Amino acid sequence: MSVDKPRTLRISTPTDRGGQVVELDGVDVSRALLGLTLYVRAGDMPSAVLDVIAEEIPTELDEVRAYLPEATKDLLVRLGWTPPAEEAP
């Protein structure tokens, strides 16, 4: 998914707990991420690829269903994703 709207991404390590905190437009999205990759090239706007948490749930049907934790759904909606009609809030 490509997003044309510029976003504010902040990565920090709080002193009161381990691990990094990733904030997107001021909202902590850390629980929805497996990781991220930053791309910085002279003359271009920096960009980031967010690796979101999603789990495949095997079924005996002809399709595989993906489970998105609530934090991941919230992040994707924040980025412009529209959930399928049967899952829309």
Side-chain angles (χ1 to χ4, degrees):
M1 171 188 316
S2 177
V3 179
D4 294 329
K5 177 182 171 188
R7 305 287 180 158
T8 301
L9 185 68
R10 181 174 181 230
I11 305 165
S12 61
T13 304
T15 56
D16 61 337
R17 60 184 168 111
Q20 274 66 45
V21 172
V22 179
E23 293 180 14
L24 181 67
D25 295 336
V27 175
D28 184 351
V29 296
S30 306
R31 295 184 57 214
L33 301 178
L34 292 171
L36 64 85
T37 304
L38 293 174
Y39 294 94
V40 181
R41 178 184 287 172
D44 289 343
M45 181 83 109
S47 62
V49 174
L50 305 177
D51 300 319
V52 298
I53 297 172
E55 300 174 16
E56 288 185 3
I57 300 174
T59 65
E60 293 183 19
L61 303 173
D62 291 336
E63 62 186 46
V64 175
R65 298 182 185 256
Y67 168 74
L68 298 178
E70 205 58 41
T72 302
K73 286 182 187 178
D74 292 344
L75 170 61
L76 293 175
V77 168
R78 176 171 286 286
L79 292 172
W81 176 66
T82 302
E86 63 273 5
E87 295 181 16

